[in-house]
Amino acid sequence: MSAVILLSATEAVAVAGPSSEAPLTAALQPVALTDGRFILGVDVLADPLHVEHRALLAGFPQTDLASLTSVLPVAR
Amino acid sequence: MTPAMRLILLGGYDADAGFWRDAVRAAGSDVSPFQMGRTSTLITSLKASGVWFNLDRLWLFAAENATQALIDLKARATATAVNSPTFTANRGYKGSHLSAYINSNFNPSTAGGNYTQNGASYGLWVETAESTPSGSYRYMGNDSSNYSEVVAGTSFLSMQINQGAPAAATTIPSASTGLISVSRSGATATARYLNGALDSTTTLASIAMPNNNFNILAGNNAGTAYQQSDARAAAAFMGGNLTALQQAALYAQLRTYMTAVGVA
């Protein structure tokens, strides 16, 4: 599975939205877990279009997606 | 600029290819003569087969750069790369499980295009299939109360369009690559295709079009992206109904483009 960054609801709001580098073509939209936390793939840390959030995101905890199975968004 | 001057400067390229290059340049990037040739050839052939006029959007993600990839050929509309999907030149965009995907920004209910309740189609060119087909990941979707989605099931793909309930799975293996597409030709007629060849049909009744954006490499549940896939998409389209002949033509013409850029 994939490594992801864990965010609180407040942190998710802080980083969500269009990239200031490319507002029309790049955005961050953290994915809600069922326990109130949010996740983003670690690939965002290397994306120059999201450099404005890199330092903040790099300080958040990371985990493997497999460890979150019980709180992943419910499949329809 | 006069039309004649434009033709001279474009070197005989299709006019829509020229408008697309203009859009790419306006966004700060460029298009090589090789890519212009490939794109112009594709558009010309799509016009000859009649497919072009039924399309609302056509993105070539297997492009030279991300700017080209995110500007569609038909309307020159821009898609949004959400949560950093990985772009690889001449291959496409790769999503990630439950995170990265492409928002097409195409909402059938507000676009006023060819895509209608009883005459619609969409699809994507899968360059690399979903790594963990299980029914938990979407190749494409716009599906709150309206089921319009392609699901990478455990063994086979499931595909639906403008319907109120899911359809039985196709016989298309989940590991398939190439053009995966679905059409609705009437109130009770849908057809699912792999590489331009008819796989199966359904008689499931249509319901009102979804009022959300189509996501690529993800579903869209009432405006929230979900079940993002780690597949890699080389192209995607939406439009009005494509007949079986037009589906075959679209595949053949995209196949020519994909071969030219090195997509297997």
Side-chain angles (χ1 to χ4, degrees), chain A residues 25 27 29 31 40-41 47 75-76, chain B residues 81 83-84 99 143-144 147 227:
Chain A
T25 58
Q29 189 61 58
V31 175
L40 279 173
D47 190 339
R76 192 177 72 170
Chain B
N83 299 341
S84 303
S99 183
D143 48 5
S144 46
Y147 282 77
Q227 297 185 320

Side-chain angles (χ1 to χ4, degrees), chain A residues 20-67:
Chain A
S20 60
E21 299 289 322
L24 293 178
T25 58
L28 291 180
Q29 189 61 58
V31 175
L33 302 175
T34 59
D35 64 358
R37 292 180 295 172
F38 288 75
I39 58 173
L40 279 173
V42 295
D43 290 344
V44 301
L45 295 173
D47 190 339
L49 297 180
H50 299 302
V51 67
E52 66 194 295
H53 298 305
R54 184 174 295 162
L56 181 65
L57 290 169
F60 295 155
Q62 297 182 14
T63 189
D64 194 281
L65 197 55
S67 70

